[in-house]
Amino acid sequence: MKIKKVAGLIITGIIVLSLLSCKKALISPEGKKTPVNYIFLIDNSGSIPTGESREVARDVLKFFVDFAESGDRVSIIRFDETAGMVASREINTPEDRTAIKSAIDDREKGINFRGQYTDISKGIQFLRDNSNNIFNTSAAPVAILISDGKLEPRNNRETRSAFDTVRRIIEGDLSIVPFYTIGLGSTGIFEDFLPSINGMVFLKERISGPTGGHFYHAQTVDSLLEIFVNILKASKKAQEIRKGYALDVDSAIERISIIVSKRGAGQQYDTTNDLILIDPQGTEIRSSKRPDNITWHGTSPYFDLIIIDKPHVGQWHIKHTGGNNPPVVSIMKTWLTLGYDMNTLYYENEQKLISAWVVDNRKGEPADVPYTISAKFDMEDRFDASLNFRSFHASDNKKYSTEIDAGAIGTYYMQIMAEDKEAFFRRESEPIKIRVERERMPFLNVSKASPYIN
């Protein structure tokens, strides 16, 4: 066994082993369906900033409808001084998607930001009171609340009562529904509406925290799309997120959703006509001329959404001719995803085991396909430029493992990768932050990072 010291941590690694002794192509059957019941609660008040903020919020909401898979349900509740249903529909046909997006744009009953007050309690109460209809499905519920966080009943003397109502419902009738809250803006969200309670505290600690969801702060309109992508990944385990203009596609990938930004932060990147998709055979595909398995949504001034069903195996490319470098995010639906289990907090000289494996989501167990596991590891301030790769060794139950000995105090990052280059197979984690602190209590139970641990 060879031990090599890198930047204060000692990584113990053994040569990477393949799960199978011979290479073979991945074979893609239909993955197991995992429908989700998405419930959006949208702040419809006039306090949402005018201009791009409102337009982007509506566009991203409609893109989410396009991302949703067959069998998913989408319900949209708007709230201001009152609350009401904008749309609630299970998605099975293109007509279902069109109907929901049309409801969003309806001038009277849709998302129009004409409300006089921001009373989040009205939206929460509406969801609770209509739960028999909204939750009348076998799909797992996920609530997404978008607001500047203000709690403004029509009668401001009722603010405390409204706050207590939200807390009581969240901790009671809706406690099993994870709430993902998105706080908009950088001013109103920090204004106290009760002593020591502002919009950020309300959304993060009183709504998302108790339900096991997550709080996101969208200070700019550009960040909304990435937040929605993160929520999609959290609610759908069979998703892989990629960034960049080249995509390795293996036969376990059933669908690719590519989002290309056309405008952001006051900058125009490209137009739809500037974008070209190139398949593994080198064929150039444009929005105006594309095969039947590719859908291209290009009507938004801010984003293009390109959806590829059952893509060919090989390397795909996104080419842009407008002279700029637009941000690109791709969401891949697959029945093979990366699983890992590791600690993110260490004390000096503490040794911990890291495990990683590829999950077959059809069976809910480690996959029986060929791949190798490695990890990119380095200190926080030089991680992006680092090429310090570490190997994992095969352990029991079709998993790989390695160990970290925590030496120097500091912050590090690790990114885990599973690969089979011959089959264009690649799964990777987000960079995982690891903190090493001065020892206080030896063998203290510490936090973990895993896509299967909430």
Side-chain angles (χ1 to χ4, degrees), residues 2-38:
K2 184 178 180 182
I3 300 177
K4 186 175 181 180
K5 187 172 182 180
V6 181
L9 294 186
I10 301 173
I11 307 296
T12 303
I14 300 178
I15 296 175
V16 181
L17 301 176
S18 175
L19 283 182
L20 299 181
S21 58
C22 57
K23 292 282 185 181
K24 62 180 181 181
L26 304 177
I27 302 173
S28 176
E30 282 296 316
K32 183 179 178 181
K33 301 297 183 183
T34 55
V36 177
N37 185 6
Y38 293 106

Side-chain angles (χ1 to χ4, degrees), residues 92-104:
N92 293 302
T93 66
E95 290 73 25
D96 293 326
R97 301 181 196 274
T98 299
I100 297 173
K101 289 187 284 185
S102 296
I104 294 170

Side-chain angles (χ1 to χ4, degrees), residues 33 59 76 107-108 117 157 184 214 219 300 369 401 422 445 452:
K33 301 297 183 183
D59 275 358
I76 301 171
R107 290 181 177 273
E108 296 301 323
Y117 301 90
R157 290 176 296 181
L184 300 176
H214 191 82
Q219 298 188 63
S300 167
V369 296
S401 62
E422 293 181 13
N445 187 26
Y452 303 101

Side-chain angles (χ1 to χ4, degrees), residues 136-378:
N136 187 22
T137 174
S138 60
V142 171
I144 303 164
L145 191 155
I146 306 172
S147 174
D148 58 10
K150 293 181 179 180
L151 183 57
E152 294 179 319
R154 182 184 292 273
N155 184 346
N156 61 14
R157 290 176 296 181
E158 297 176 357
T159 302
R160 170 58 70 176
S161 176
F163 176 80
D164 291 338
T165 295
V166 171
R167 183 174 54 82
R168 186 170 59 254
I169 294 174
I170 288 295
E171 295 177 0
D173 295 336
L174 298 182
S175 60
I176 63 171
V177 180
F179 272 76
Y180 294 86
T181 56
I182 303 173
L184 300 176
S186 57
T187 55
I189 195 169
F190 295 111
E191 296 175 2
D192 288 357
F193 55 81
L194 287 172
S196 301
I197 300 292
N198 58 30
M200 177 171 283
V201 171
F202 187 38
L203 296 175
K204 183 177 182 179
E205 299 181 13
R206 300 295 190 270
I207 298 179
S208 63
T211 62
H214 191 82
F215 169 77
Y216 300 92
H217 188 194
Q219 298 188 63
T220 65
V221 295
D222 295 8
S223 60
L224 269 179
L225 185 62
E226 185 171 355
I227 289 170
F228 271 61
V229 168
N230 288 332
I231 293 173
L232 267 172
K233 186 174 183 180
S235 60
K236 290 272 191 181
K237 296 301 183 187
Q239 302 277 10
E240 290 289 322
I241 307 297
R242 308 280 178 87
K243 296 181 180 179
Y245 301 107
L247 294 172
D248 286 336
V249 176
D250 60 81
S251 58
I253 293 174
E254 301 170 344
R255 188 187 200 199
I256 307 174
S257 300
I258 304 171
I259 310 105
V260 185
S261 295
K262 294 192 292 189
R263 186 192 302 176
Q267 179 182 2
Q268 182 71 42
Y269 295 116
D270 281 315
T271 67
T272 298
N273 292 333
D274 295 322
L275 301 175
I276 301 172
L277 184 65
I278 304 175
D279 71 11
Q281 287 73 45
T283 303
E284 293 191 351
I285 301 165
R286 294 178 178 270
S287 63
S288 57
K289 188 177 180 180
R290 58 186 187 275
D292 293 338
N293 69 317
I294 296 179
T295 305
W296 196 310
H297 303 274
T299 58
S300 167
Y302 302 99
F303 314 102
D304 267 23
L305 171 62
I306 307 167
I307 298 175
I308 311 170
D309 286 307
K310 301 188 184 305
H312 294 302
V313 173
Q315 191 168 75
W316 292 70
H317 294 270
I318 299 99
K319 180 181 177 182
H320 49 93
T321 61
N324 292 302
N325 296 309
V328 175
V329 178
S330 299
I331 306 170
M332 297 184 169
K333 179 191 174 187
T334 174
W335 51 273
L336 291 177
T337 55
L338 178 66
Y340 54 89
D341 190 2
M342 63 179 291
N343 293 280
T344 58
L345 175 61
Y346 289 78
Y347 297 102
E348 291 175 288
N349 303 315
E350 185 177 26
Q351 186 179 77
K352 294 289 184 182
L353 186 70
I354 298 172
S355 296
W357 62 97
V358 171
V359 182
D360 186 330
N361 289 289
R362 303 160 303 169
K363 302 176 181 179
E365 60 184 38
D368 190 19
V369 296
Y371 63 88
T372 59
I373 292 276
S374 61
K376 180 181 175 183
F377 174 81
D378 211 337

Side-chain angles (χ1 to χ4, degrees), residues 6 50 76 123 129 149 182 213 228 234 356 388 396 444:
V6 181
T50 58
I76 301 171
D129 295 343
I182 303 173
F228 271 61
N388 292 320
D396 57 353
L444 187 68

